[in-house]
Amino acid sequence: MILTVTLNAALDITYRLPRLHTHTTNRVTEVTERPGGKGLNVARVLAALGHRTIATGFAGGGTGEALRALLTQESDVTDALVPVGGATRRTIAVVDETTGDTTQLNEPGPMVSPAEWDAFLGTYRELLGEARAVALCGSLPPGVPVDVYARLTRAARAAGVPVLLDTSGEPLRRGLAARPDLAKPNAEELAALTGSTEPLRAARDARRRGAHTVAASLGAKGILAVTADGVWQAAPPRPIAGNPTGAGDSAVAGLLSGLVENLPWPDRLIRAVALSAATVRAAAAGEFDPGTYEELLPRVVVTDHPTAA
Amino acid sequence: MILTVTLNAALDITYRLPRLHTHTTNRVTEVTERPGGKGLNVARVLAALGHRTIATGFAGGGTGEALRALLTQESDVTDALVPVGGATRRTIAVVDETTGDTTQLNEPGPMVSPAEWDAFLGTYRELLGEARAVALCGSLPPGVPVDVYARLTRAARAAGVPVLLDTSGEPLRRGLAARPDLAKPNAEELAALTGSTEPLRAARDARRRGAHTVAASLGAKGILAVTADGVWQAAPPRPIAGNPTGAGDSAVAGLLSGLVENLPWPDRLIRAVALSAATVRAAAAGEFDPGTYEELLPRVVVTDHPTAA
């Protein structure tokens, strides 16, 4: 079983309207809702790849109930979200159909009490007992200690479970110090962490900060992995047009499934890049276009980096 | 008992953030939720004035549950909303704290099935049996016939219950033909109905279309009433700064309570204008500032209009 952790899960709402006008009233023409939050997106892709997947984290309020219902209806992910008194946050994507642009409104998330945090830790430790890998994903809700990913990483390592960390800012910085097996920052997160906009230099810096391996997602340029055994970069064979939301989460699912299946690094990267590109071609985060995925798998280009790690 | 009908109730959500940036991601700093929809605002103000008030209409889904919980917690309004399979709509007000401007996003509302519509009609007819007046308020959800307010007006008249109609567009046009006792359009709705931007002319036109009395809310200029007995205009003694959302709903509550209490028309208008102004000074629609209300009651200026109706 693969475990994913989403401490700040979200009910993702998409509003479509012909044109967004600010400072006045807009009638939304189409409303869609999905279970959201990076760890839940990762879980849905893992389940679609055939891996038994359990999702934990927090869910509460009417929005939490809606999220759990959608998760169960729309995927084979097992719901082990821990109840919380506050309401799961909403994230609202307002799509202007004239320009194609999206304006995103993200609520902060529920305040998590110390007792709720303790309940989560109990669930997490129990689930680690049967996990083959764990993904720690996304931002933190208010009330959760900022070093939470360091604590969860140490607990997983103590249980012998490999850890993938996908977050940003201070939670990433602190989490790296606990030596996760794999960190997957994107170029922006990597630059914010290290101060360097040169991906190879920044990824090496991130490794020195504690991650055993760093796989940096670089958008259209694919994924750069700096590992103990070497440096590889994998990229799609052509530019992929579409909606990049969730592409990074699908990359995480690709990397994590490759880890569990013990694939060589180049094969993990090929899978991650193909899944990522197939997500750009899908309607929503947490989904991917199977045709694009199958088509790209044999065509992703992997480069053995000239300078070793 | 006073009955209010809200066919397209809403969970009103307010997002505050330092500055709204379109086409990118915004972190909302404060989230508040309220029961919304014009008829529910009217009901809350009536209940705060001490009138026994029942609210009916439709509510469904997680948003409907949240709305009902808030309505019961925050007011003495009796909830007689009829369950519907679809989810109650959300309306989202995004307040830019730098400019003070609000960008509003309104969902369309749940599709109402013929069976649900029948269930509502049964509830409505039953409640009319004990109602001293009924307010029919707001927009229509998908699936409800456009002549609904005409039907509900006829049913109320057949039961001997006075009807106040507060809507716009085609539902207003059709509703007027069923001869409600009172219509309360604002200046914009009146102009859209009649083609005239001159309020007295437009209000007389609206009367000819069927309303026994027309009370037009004219923002800072107060309320103009064209009745069978005369024409009056009431206005606040000074400009009132604040948030005008819900001011029209409070005017409806003032007019309706005055009708039930058999107040002379000038006194009804004084109450409606004072409540309306006190709502501009309150934080949210459906609420009013009691201090402002008490202070303004003796100071609202009523003008007996020179030209009779």
mmCIF file of all heavy atoms in Angstrom, chain B residues 232-255:
data_model
loop_
_atom_site.group_PDB
_atom_site.id
_atom_site.type_symbol
_atom_site.label_atom_id
_atom_site.label_comp_id
_atom_site.label_asym_id
_atom_site.label_seq_id
_atom_site.Cartn_x
_atom_site.Cartn_y
_atom_site.Cartn_z
ATOM 1 N N TRP B 232 -46.044 59.262 -1.925
ATOM 2 C CA TRP B 232 -45.137 59.797 -0.906
ATOM 3 C C TRP B 232 -43.699 59.413 -1.244
ATOM 4 O O TRP B 232 -43.468 58.371 -1.865
ATOM 5 C CB TRP B 232 -45.461 59.203 0.473
ATOM 6 C CG TRP B 232 -46.744 59.666 1.058
ATOM 7 C CD1 TRP B 232 -46.948 60.804 1.790
ATOM 8 C CD2 TRP B 232 -48.007 58.997 0.981
ATOM 9 N NE1 TRP B 232 -48.264 60.899 2.161
ATOM 10 C CE2 TRP B 232 -48.942 59.801 1.682
ATOM 11 C CE3 TRP B 232 -48.457 57.826 0.366
ATOM 12 C CZ2 TRP B 232 -50.290 59.467 1.802
ATOM 13 C CZ3 TRP B 232 -49.789 57.477 0.485
ATOM 14 C CH2 TRP B 232 -50.709 58.286 1.195
ATOM 15 N N GLN B 233 -42.800 60.278 -0.823
ATOM 16 C CA GLN B 233 -41.392 59.901 -0.911
ATOM 17 C C GLN B 233 -40.757 60.140 0.457
ATOM 18 O O GLN B 233 -40.938 61.201 1.064
ATOM 19 C CB GLN B 233 -40.654 60.698 -1.994
ATOM 20 C CG GLN B 233 -39.204 60.249 -2.147
ATOM 21 C CD GLN B 233 -38.627 60.509 -3.540
ATOM 22 O OE1 GLN B 233 -39.363 60.940 -4.441
ATOM 23 N NE2 GLN B 233 -37.347 60.251 -3.720
ATOM 24 N N ALA B 234 -40.026 59.122 0.950
ATOM 25 C CA ALA B 234 -39.340 59.245 2.237
ATOM 26 C C ALA B 234 -37.848 59.068 1.987
ATOM 27 O O ALA B 234 -37.443 58.227 1.179
ATOM 28 C CB ALA B 234 -39.830 58.172 3.208
ATOM 29 N N ALA B 235 -37.043 59.896 2.664
ATOM 30 C CA ALA B 235 -35.600 59.837 2.448
ATOM 31 C C ALA B 235 -34.871 60.032 3.771
ATOM 32 O O ALA B 235 -35.385 60.693 4.676
ATOM 33 C CB ALA B 235 -35.178 60.910 1.445
ATOM 34 N N PRO B 236 -33.659 59.457 3.886
ATOM 35 C CA PRO B 236 -32.876 59.659 5.112
ATOM 36 C C PRO B 236 -32.476 61.134 5.220
ATOM 37 O O PRO B 236 -32.337 61.811 4.204
ATOM 38 C CB PRO B 236 -31.664 58.754 4.918
ATOM 39 C CG PRO B 236 -31.588 58.461 3.462
ATOM 40 C CD PRO B 236 -32.959 58.593 2.915
ATOM 41 N N PRO B 237 -32.269 61.624 6.458
ATOM 42 C CA PRO B 237 -31.971 63.041 6.651
ATOM 43 C C PRO B 237 -30.582 63.436 6.172
ATOM 44 O O PRO B 237 -30.287 64.610 6.032
ATOM 45 C CB PRO B 237 -32.090 63.215 8.175
ATOM 46 C CG PRO B 237 -31.819 61.865 8.736
ATOM 47 C CD PRO B 237 -32.349 60.894 7.727
ATOM 48 N N ARG B 238 -29.717 62.422 5.960
ATOM 49 C CA ARG B 238 -28.347 62.724 5.516
ATOM 50 C C ARG B 238 -27.833 61.495 4.759
ATOM 51 O O ARG B 238 -28.376 60.392 4.930
ATOM 52 C CB ARG B 238 -27.453 63.018 6.717
ATOM 53 C CG ARG B 238 -27.365 61.888 7.717
ATOM 54 C CD ARG B 238 -26.357 62.120 8.832
ATOM 55 N NE ARG B 238 -26.087 60.862 9.519
ATOM 56 C CZ ARG B 238 -26.833 60.385 10.532
ATOM 57 N NH1 ARG B 238 -27.884 61.057 10.982
ATOM 58 N NH2 ARG B 238 -26.530 59.228 11.095
ATOM 59 N N PRO B 239 -26.811 61.674 3.933
ATOM 60 C CA PRO B 239 -26.258 60.498 3.236
ATOM 61 C C PRO B 239 -25.675 59.510 4.246
ATOM 62 O O PRO B 239 -25.067 59.933 5.234
ATOM 63 C CB PRO B 239 -25.145 61.091 2.355
ATOM 64 C CG PRO B 239 -25.428 62.557 2.280
ATOM 65 C CD PRO B 239 -26.113 62.925 3.566
ATOM 66 N N ILE B 240 -25.903 58.237 4.034
ATOM 67 C CA ILE B 240 -25.432 57.200 4.950
ATOM 68 C C ILE B 240 -24.315 56.428 4.247
ATOM 69 O O ILE B 240 -24.543 55.802 3.207
ATOM 70 C CB ILE B 240 -26.568 56.222 5.314
ATOM 71 C CG1 ILE B 240 -27.815 56.986 5.803
ATOM 72 C CG2 ILE B 240 -26.098 55.196 6.334
ATOM 73 C CD1 ILE B 240 -27.669 57.652 7.142
ATOM 74 N N ALA B 241 -23.115 56.469 4.823
ATOM 75 C CA ALA B 241 -21.986 55.754 4.221
ATOM 76 C C ALA B 241 -21.970 54.313 4.711
ATOM 77 O O ALA B 241 -22.314 54.041 5.864
ATOM 78 C CB ALA B 241 -20.677 56.439 4.596
ATOM 79 N N GLY B 242 -21.591 53.382 3.858
ATOM 80 C CA GLY B 242 -21.492 51.983 4.277
ATOM 81 C C GLY B 242 -21.722 51.044 3.115
ATOM 82 O O GLY B 242 -21.535 51.414 1.953
ATOM 83 N N ASN B 243 -22.157 49.846 3.438
ATOM 84 C CA ASN B 243 -22.330 48.794 2.447
ATOM 85 C C ASN B 243 -23.819 48.618 2.124
ATOM 86 O O ASN B 243 -24.589 48.164 2.975
ATOM 87 C CB ASN B 243 -21.745 47.495 3.032
ATOM 88 C CG ASN B 243 -21.988 46.300 2.137
ATOM 89 O OD1 ASN B 243 -22.521 46.423 1.036
ATOM 90 N ND2 ASN B 243 -21.595 45.127 2.618
ATOM 91 N N PRO B 244 -24.242 48.980 0.901
ATOM 92 C CA PRO B 244 -25.673 48.963 0.580
ATOM 93 C C PRO B 244 -26.264 47.559 0.395
ATOM 94 O O PRO B 244 -27.478 47.429 0.252
ATOM 95 C CB PRO B 244 -25.750 49.759 -0.724
ATOM 96 C CG PRO B 244 -24.409 49.587 -1.349
ATOM 97 C CD PRO B 244 -23.417 49.445 -0.225
ATOM 98 N N THR B 245 -25.425 46.491 0.458
ATOM 99 C CA THR B 245 -25.964 45.148 0.247
ATOM 100 C C THR B 245 -27.028 44.840 1.293
ATOM 101 O O THR B 245 -26.787 44.993 2.484
ATOM 102 C CB THR B 245 -24.845 44.099 0.351
ATOM 103 O OG1 THR B 245 -23.774 44.499 -0.495
ATOM 104 C CG2 THR B 245 -25.346 42.731 -0.083
ATOM 105 N N GLY B 246 -28.202 44.426 0.853
ATOM 106 C CA GLY B 246 -29.267 44.064 1.783
ATOM 107 C C GLY B 246 -30.155 45.230 2.184
ATOM 108 O O GLY B 246 -31.166 45.018 2.866
ATOM 109 N N ALA B 247 -29.800 46.457 1.773
ATOM 110 C CA ALA B 247 -30.624 47.615 2.161
ATOM 111 C C ALA B 247 -32.042 47.465 1.598
ATOM 112 O O ALA B 247 -33.024 47.770 2.282
ATOM 113 C CB ALA B 247 -29.983 48.907 1.673
ATOM 114 N N GLY B 248 -32.158 46.980 0.375
ATOM 115 C CA GLY B 248 -33.474 46.789 -0.233
ATOM 116 C C GLY B 248 -34.277 45.713 0.493
ATOM 117 O O GLY B 248 -35.505 45.822 0.628
ATOM 118 N N ASP B 249 -33.596 44.670 0.974
ATOM 119 C CA ASP B 249 -34.287 43.600 1.700
ATOM 120 C C ASP B 249 -34.823 44.133 3.028
ATOM 121 O O ASP B 249 -35.922 43.768 3.463
ATOM 122 C CB ASP B 249 -33.337 42.422 1.950
ATOM 123 C CG ASP B 249 -32.726 41.910 0.650
ATOM 124 O OD1 ASP B 249 -33.379 42.048 -0.413
ATOM 125 O OD2 ASP B 249 -31.601 41.381 0.686
ATOM 126 N N SER B 250 -34.053 45.008 3.666
ATOM 127 C CA SER B 250 -34.527 45.602 4.923
ATOM 128 C C SER B 250 -35.702 46.532 4.653
ATOM 129 O O SER B 250 -36.628 46.624 5.476
ATOM 130 C CB SER B 250 -33.380 46.348 5.607
ATOM 131 O OG SER B 250 -32.426 45.416 6.067
ATOM 132 N N ALA B 251 -35.686 47.223 3.521
ATOM 133 C CA ALA B 251 -36.833 48.056 3.153
ATOM 134 C C ALA B 251 -38.080 47.179 3.003
ATOM 135 O O ALA B 251 -39.170 47.537 3.471
ATOM 136 C CB ALA B 251 -36.542 48.807 1.857
ATOM 137 N N VAL B 252 -37.935 46.019 2.398
ATOM 138 C CA VAL B 252 -39.063 45.087 2.252
ATOM 139 C C VAL B 252 -39.588 44.685 3.637
ATOM 140 O O VAL B 252 -40.800 44.675 3.876
ATOM 141 C CB VAL B 252 -38.636 43.830 1.449
ATOM 142 C CG1 VAL B 252 -39.678 42.727 1.572
ATOM 143 C CG2 VAL B 252 -38.425 44.194 -0.021
ATOM 144 N N ALA B 253 -38.676 44.387 4.557
ATOM 145 C CA ALA B 253 -39.097 44.005 5.913
ATOM 146 C C ALA B 253 -39.847 45.155 6.580
ATOM 147 O O ALA B 253 -40.864 44.950 7.261
ATOM 148 C CB ALA B 253 -37.879 43.604 6.745
ATOM 149 N N GLY B 254 -39.367 46.382 6.373
ATOM 150 C CA GLY B 254 -40.039 47.549 6.942
ATOM 151 C C GLY B 254 -41.440 47.717 6.367
ATOM 152 O O GLY B 254 -42.416 47.934 7.110
ATOM 153 N N LEU B 255 -41.560 47.605 5.059
ATOM 154 C CA LEU B 255 -42.859 47.775 4.405
ATOM 155 C C LEU B 255 -43.833 46.679 4.839
ATOM 156 O O LEU B 255 -45.016 46.935 5.081
ATOM 157 C CB LEU B 255 -42.679 47.736 2.879
ATOM 158 C CG LEU B 255 -41.883 48.901 2.267
ATOM 159 C CD1 LEU B 255 -41.552 48.609 0.807
ATOM 160 C CD2 LEU B 255 -42.653 50.216 2.402
#
